[in-house]
Amino acid sequence: MDYTFSTIIEPFRIHSVEPLRLTSAAERRSALAEAGYNVFNLRSTDVLIDLLTDSGTGAMSRDQWAAIQHGDESYAGSPSWFRFEAAVKDLFPFRHVIPTHQGRAAEKILFSVLGGPGKVIPNNTHFDTTRANVEASGATALDMVIPEGRDAAAIHPFKGNIDLEALEALLAERRDDVPVVMLTITNNSGGGQPVSLANIRAASEISHRYGVPLFLDACRFAENAWFIHEREEGQGDREVADIVREVASLADGMTMSAKKDPFGNIGGWLALNDDALAEKCRNVLILTEGFPTYGGLAGRDLEALAQGLSEAVSPDYLRYRIGSTAYLGDALDRAGVPVVKPIGGHAVYLDAKALLAHIPPLQYPGQSLAVALYEAGGVRACEIGTVMFGRQPDGSEVPAAMELVRLAIPRRTYTQSHVDYVIEVVSAVARDAASLPGYRMTYEPAALRHFTARYEPIG
Ligand SMILES: *Cc1c(COP(=O)(O)O)cnc(C)c1O
C-alpha cells in the first residue's frame, strides 16, 4: 500500500535547543506597563512565542553553521565573497551584486541614487522601510496593489499582484518622474500575498515599454515561487529554482533582505544590470556599508547566506513552510477569528478592524490586539495598521487601509505544538475581544513610529 498522511512534518530534526521561559500573567502585565504597551519594547526573554517578525529570527542549518567555519575575513576579495556572489547569481543572474548589512541599506542606497523630490516610486505595496527610504529621499511612494489586495476577506490566488492598469496610467502620465517600478514578492505589508508570474511578466512589459526599469523587493522570493508552483496554471512541474530564475530575468535589479528566505540572521544585497547605476550605488556603499566585496557583512555571514540560498528553494522545506503557516491560519479561521485570506506565506494576518470593530482606527485596534495576545499567552505579534502607516509626511494622521496584526513565523524555529498553543491563545483573546481598550500615544518619534512609540490604554 502507498499511504498518504496529513500530519505536517518538519523536514528536519532538532540539533541544538534554546530554552523558553514561562511567565505569569502578572509578570506579563507589569512587563507591558514598563514597555509603554509597545511590544517592541519588551525583553525577548519575557516572550514565550515570538512572532514579532520572521526577519533574522530563523534557525540556521547544520550546513550553515559549518559554512561559518569557512568564513574568510579578508578585507577585499575574500573567497567567502565569491561563494556568496556565485550563490546569488545562480538564482538572480544580475551583472552586479552589492552586499549590504540588511535590506533597508540596499533600499537606502538605491533610493538615494534614484529618488529625490518630484520623483514617484510605484510598488504593489511598499514595505515600511521601503516607504520610509523613498520618502526620506523626498520622493513619493505609491501603493498600487489590485483592489482584492486591499480587502482582507477577498479570495484571490495572487492578492499581491500590482494593478497593471494603474501602473500603465501612471507611466503614461508621468513616465519622466518614475525612475523605477518596484514589485514586492511576496507582498509583506499586504498580507504576505504572492504575485503571479503572469503579473510580473506584464509589469515588466509595461515598465520596459516606457523605458523604466523594474526592480524586485525579493525578500520572500522562494515562498512566492512556491505559490506560483502550486497555484499558477502550467507551473506545477517546474523546479522552484527555475521559477525564481525566470522571475529574475523579467527584472532589471532587486533589493533584498537576506534575513528572510535565505535563512540569514543578518544580511542583504542590491543587485542590478545597469553598469552606470551600479557604479553610483557602489560609491554610496563604500561611504555607508563597506568595501564592495563585503558590504556590511563578515565573511562568515556571506558563507552562511550562500548555503542558506540553496536550502531556501528546497521543495520539502517550502511545502512544510507554507503548509504550517496555512495550518495556523485555517485553524484560526475555523475558530471564527477574522484573518486575511487566503493565508500568506510567512505569516498569518489577523483582521483587527473586523475583530475589534468597537475601537476607532485612530485608537489603534491592531495595537490593542497585539498587547492582548502578549498579556494572555506571552505571544508577541506586530501591528501592521494605522500605527505603522497612519502618520503622513505632512504631519496629519489618517487610518490605514487595513488594521492587521501579523503573526510572523520564524523559519524552522517553532514546532507544530508551538503553533497549536498560538491557536489556543489567539482564539481565547478573540472570544473576549469586545472588552479590549483603545490606546493613545504618550510618546511618538519622528519616523517609523511603531518601533519606539509609547502608549496608554484609554479608559
Ligand atoms: C524585511 C523587509 C525589508 C527590509 O529588510 P531589512 O533586512 O529588515 O532591513 C524590505 N522589504 C520587505 C518586503 C521586507 O520584508
Side-chain angles (χ1 to χ4, degrees):
M1 278 291 281
D2 283 348
Y3 296 101
T4 56
F5 301 108
S6 61
T7 304
I8 294 170
I9 290 285
E10 292 88 354
F12 48 81
R13 57 185 181 182
I14 291 164
H15 165 268
S16 159
V17 297
E18 282 181 80
L20 290 175
R21 194 170 76 86
L22 296 157
T23 51
S24 67
E27 283 177 297
R28 293 193 293 273
R29 276 192 273 276
S30 82
L32 276 170
E34 214 170 291
Y37 297 92
N38 184 344
V39 295
F40 280 98
N41 288 337
L42 293 168
R43 289 168 184 251
S44 66
T45 44
D46 291 339
V47 175
L48 184 60
I49 308 287
D50 203 345
L51 308 182
L52 187 67
T53 174
D54 64 321
S55 179
T57 53
M60 291 211 298
S61 67
R62 173 195 64 190
D63 294 341
Q64 284 182 287
W65 285 110
I68 277 188
Q69 294 296 329
H70 291 276
D72 179 309
E73 307 303 341
S74 302
Y75 190 91
S78 154
S80 301
W81 153 252
F82 290 106
R83 265 193 288 278
F84 169 82
E85 185 190 34
V88 172
K89 285 190 172 178
D90 179 51
L91 291 169
F92 304 98
F94 296 115
R95 287 165 54 79
H96 303 278
V97 178
I98 297 174
T100 60
H101 79 281
Q102 54 185 91
R104 70 197 66 186
E107 294 169 348
K108 170 81 186 165
I109 292 171
L110 183 68
F111 298 125
S112 65
V113 174
L114 288 182
K119 297 281 165 52
V120 182
I121 316 248
N123 201 330
N124 44 355
T125 310
H126 287 276
F127 183 62
D128 60 350
T129 61
T130 322
R131 171 172 286 278
N133 274 303
V134 167
E135 290 174 352
S137 82
T140 303
L142 266 190
D143 290 340
M144 304 196 153
V145 74
I146 56 171
E148 291 89 337
R150 284 196 199 92
D151 175 355
I155 300 288
H156 186 290
F158 293 101
K159 271 173 97 166
N161 283 354
I162 193 165
D163 184 331
L164 297 167
E165 276 174 38
L167 177 62
E168 170 117 39
L170 174 73
L171 290 174
E173 198 185 322
R174 301 190 59 182
R175 180 253 161 277
D176 290 341
D177 299 329
V178 183
V180 62
V181 172
M182 299 289 299
L183 205 47
T184 306
I185 61 170
T186 56
N187 192 23
N188 188 1
S189 302
Q193 299 292 326
V195 181
S196 72
L197 186 53
N199 189 256
I200 301 171
R201 282 188 188 131
S204 170
E205 188 276 319
I206 294 170
S207 305
H208 292 156
R209 184 147 42 77
Y210 287 90
V212 176
L214 174 71
F215 271 53
L216 304 168
D217 177 345
C219 299
R220 297 180 184 79
F221 68 93
E223 294 173 6
N224 199 82
W226 183 254
F227 281 116
I228 289 173
H229 178 274
E230 293 296 287
R231 294 184 183 169
E232 197 157 349
E233 184 85 34
Q235 302 300 319
D237 293 331
R238 292 179 74 182
E239 294 220 5
V240 178
D242 188 39
I243 296 172
V244 173
R245 287 185 197 107
E246 179 176 350
V247 168
S249 76
L250 295 165
D252 304 282
M254 69 192 292
T255 55
M256 184 70 189
S257 170
K259 303 171 72 172
K260 318 291 171 54
D261 276 359
F263 297 116
N265 298 127
I266 196 74
W269 67 84
L270 171 64
L272 68 167
N273 284 331
D274 184 311
D275 296 338
L277 180 58
E279 189 180 332
K280 286 189 193 144
C281 290
R282 280 206 184 93
N283 289 337
V284 182
L285 179 87
I286 291 171
L287 280 182
T288 59
E289 293 283 294
F291 189 73
T293 65
Y294 72 86
L297 297 169
R300 64 180 81 99
D301 299 324
L302 295 167
E303 293 277 356
L305 294 176
Q307 173 60 28
L309 273 170
S310 71
E311 297 172 12
V313 291
S314 152
D316 285 349
Y317 160 69
L318 287 168
R319 183 175 299 109
Y320 142 76
R321 167 78 174 158
I322 303 300
S324 176
T325 306
Y327 171 91
L328 170 59
D330 291 341
L332 292 176
D333 187 29
R334 279 196 303 277
V337 180
V339 294
V340 174
K341 287 194 274 189
I343 305 304
H346 67 294
V348 172
Y349 293 71
L350 310 177
D351 183 353
K353 196 187 274 182
L355 188 61
L356 280 66
H358 62 291
I359 301 180
L362 298 186
Q363 294 179 17
Y364 315 131
Q367 159 65 16
S368 174
L369 182 56
V371 168
L373 294 175
Y374 175 73
E375 183 181 337
V379 174
R380 179 156 68 167
C382 181
E383 192 260 14
I384 300 201
T386 297
V387 172
M388 192 180 273
F389 292 118
R391 180 62 72 203
Q392 303 303 299
D394 68 3
S396 63
E397 189 180 27
V398 299
M402 295 198 274
E403 301 292 343
L404 303 177
V405 171
R406 185 184 70 178
L407 307 173
I409 322 289
R411 293 170 181 75
R412 306 189 294 206
T413 301
Y414 291 111
T415 64
Q416 285 299 104
S417 60
H418 290 128
V419 175
D420 284 331
Y421 173 78
V422 172
I423 293 166
E424 262 191 284
V425 172
V426 177
S427 304
V429 169
R431 280 193 294 276
D432 293 333
S435 68
L436 297 178
Y439 282 79
R440 75 168 71 86
M441 278 186 202
T442 57
Y443 163 71
E444 181 180 351
L448 292 173
R449 62 180 181 167
H450 53 289
F451 287 130
T452 54
R454 297 181 72 85
Y455 308 82
E456 62 188 12
I458 297 172

